[in-house]
Amino acid sequence: MHKILVVEDDESIKRELTALLSSNGYAVVDAPPCDLALLDVNLPQTSGFDLCRRLRTEHKCPVIFLTARDSAEDEIIGFGVGADDYIRKPYNASVLLMRIARLFNSAKPAVLTADGLTLDLSDMSVEYGGTRAELTKNETRILACLIQNGLCTKEKLLEELWNDSLYIDENTLYVNIGRLRDKLKGIGADGFVRTVRGVGYRL
């Protein structure tokens, strides 16, 4: 059963959405992890746009904005922060359900493989030879970069990991690389992350 996060400050609309989604086979949740997020833009303590940014960074789930904000500028901002769809209120229930189903049907498994390693981006885990280890967000991003590119410079890894931070030194990268190597060694994948002197790292 797919889990849908509903973030809506109008309690009557939230109850309506919960009833609609539940009656169509979805589980409504109040916090991540989730398989899809349905967000209002106008929220009492934060902006739906800011929440979307965090969800896309931390959980990688599809996001639909369901909002009374109907300007073209708001829609552009919504897609700019990572939304997959933008629906204006008042919404049509059948159209909303169709768009949710379309996102689930088009979603591809977030799995990367290389040299016998299987990295699951959705639950941040790596498997090798039938043994599995859980990774942190940064460890997952490092391994994903290495699997996708083969060779990654230190600058590329820092950009991948902390592009929204003001300053991160290389020592933090070294710590995360060390922890990733330890976890890979623990599942029998010792030596998979190699240092390329003066450049960065390769798988």
Side-chain angles (χ1 to χ4, degrees):
M1 180 182 291
H2 288 301
K3 295 186 291 185
I4 297 179
L5 170 66
V6 175
V7 181
E8 167 62 59
D9 67 335
D10 186 317
E11 286 300 323
S12 64
I13 295 178
K14 185 171 183 178
R15 287 194 297 270
E16 179 183 280
L17 287 169
T18 299
L20 173 66
L21 297 171
S22 299
S23 65
N24 282 273
Y26 298 112
V28 177
V29 297
D30 292 320
C34 59
D35 301 306
L36 182 144
L38 198 58
L39 308 180
D40 194 1
V41 174
N42 296 320
L43 299 172
Q45 297 180 346
T46 186
S47 161
F49 296 141
D50 290 336
L51 182 56
C52 179
R53 288 189 189 97
R54 293 201 300 272
L55 284 170
R56 297 296 285 176
T57 299
E58 298 171 6
H59 300 285
K60 309 294 184 185
C61 66
V63 174
I64 297 176
F65 279 115
L66 182 61
T67 177
R69 302 259 294 254
D70 60 358
S71 72
E73 290 80 6
D74 285 325
E75 186 170 354
I76 290 169
I77 293 171
F79 284 112
V81 297
D84 297 273
D85 208 341
Y86 193 100
I87 301 174
R88 295 174 176 84
K89 297 174 183 174
Y91 64 92
N92 179 282
S94 297
V95 171
L96 175 61
L97 290 170
M98 178 192 69
R99 292 191 175 185
I100 290 172
R102 177 183 61 83
L103 283 174
F104 282 136
N105 291 336
S106 63
K108 297 180 180 179
V111 175
L112 301 174
T113 59
D115 299 328
L117 283 177
T118 300
L119 175 64
D120 190 325
L121 299 173
S122 61
D123 68 358
M124 296 191 296
S125 67
V126 61
E127 184 175 328
Y128 182 73
T131 306
R132 179 178 172 276
E134 294 184 358
L135 304 177
T136 65
K137 179 177 66 176
N138 285 342
E139 292 161 359
T140 300
R141 289 181 177 180
I142 289 171
L143 189 54
C145 186
L146 292 171
I147 290 175
Q148 291 172 320
N149 298 283
L151 173 66
C152 293
T153 64
K154 289 182 289 187
E155 292 75 18
K156 171 67 173 174
L157 287 170
L158 288 169
E159 179 184 344
E160 287 287 325
L161 298 181
W162 300 288
N163 55 11
D164 57 349
S165 296
L166 294 176
Y167 176 76
I168 296 292
D169 64 23
E170 292 185 2
N171 287 333
T172 311
L173 174 61
Y174 300 152
V175 169
N176 279 273
I177 289 285
R179 289 173 178 167
L180 175 60
R181 282 172 164 161
D182 287 342
K183 290 183 179 180
L184 291 176
K185 182 178 180 180
I187 61 172
D190 189 19
F192 269 55
V193 177
R194 301 293 183 92
T195 300
V196 181
R197 292 189 179 278
V199 180
Y201 301 89
R202 68 176 175 85
L203 193 65

